[in-house]
Amino acid sequence: NFNPGLGIQYDYDKDIKLIAGGYYNSFYKLSVYGGAAYQPVQYGPFKVGLIGAAVSNYNNLKVPVMALPVISIEGECIGVDILGGPSIANYHGLVTANLKFKL
C-alpha cells in the first residue's frame, strides 16, 4: 500500500526525538499519532532504536499503541527513517520508509 502522510520530529536530546503526525492508513482512514523515538545506538549517520506512539483509527487494535524498531540515516539537512514489524496473528506486518528534512 501507499500511505501518504506528514509528520514532525523534535530532537529532545541526542537519543530521544518527540514525534507527531498523520497519514492515510491501509483502511482508508486518517490516522494521527504522537510518541517518541529512542535511538541509543549511533554510528556515524546511522541510528538504531525503537519508536513508540499512540495512533488513531485502527479498529483492530485493542490498545491503540504501536512500538516498532527503527533505523535512521541522517545527514546535515536530509534523512530517512526505516521502520518495520512482522505479521503477528491477524495483524499484517509492515515496512515503511519516511523521508525527512531539517527546517
Side-chain angles (χ1 to χ4, degrees), residues 7-8 12 16 18 20 26 28 31 33 36 41 63 67 75 83-85 87 97 99-100:
I8 189 166
Y12 182 75
I16 299 173
L18 303 179
S26 298
Y28 308 103
S31 286
Y33 64 89
V41 179
V63 179
L83 297 87
S87 294
L99 186 60
K100 57 188 183 180

Side-chain angles (χ1 to χ4, degrees), residues 39-55:
Q39 295 178 288
V41 179
Q42 300 179 18
Y43 182 75
F46 298 94
K47 295 181 179 183
V48 178
L50 293 172
I51 285 184
V55 63

Side-chain angles (χ1 to χ4, degrees), residues 13-14 16-17 24 33 48 51 61 66 74 78 95:
D13 68 22
K14 76 176 194 73
I16 299 173
K17 291 181 169 74
Y24 284 99
Y33 64 89
V48 178
I51 285 184
L61 294 178
M66 291 186 182
E74 297 180 348
I78 193 168
V95 174

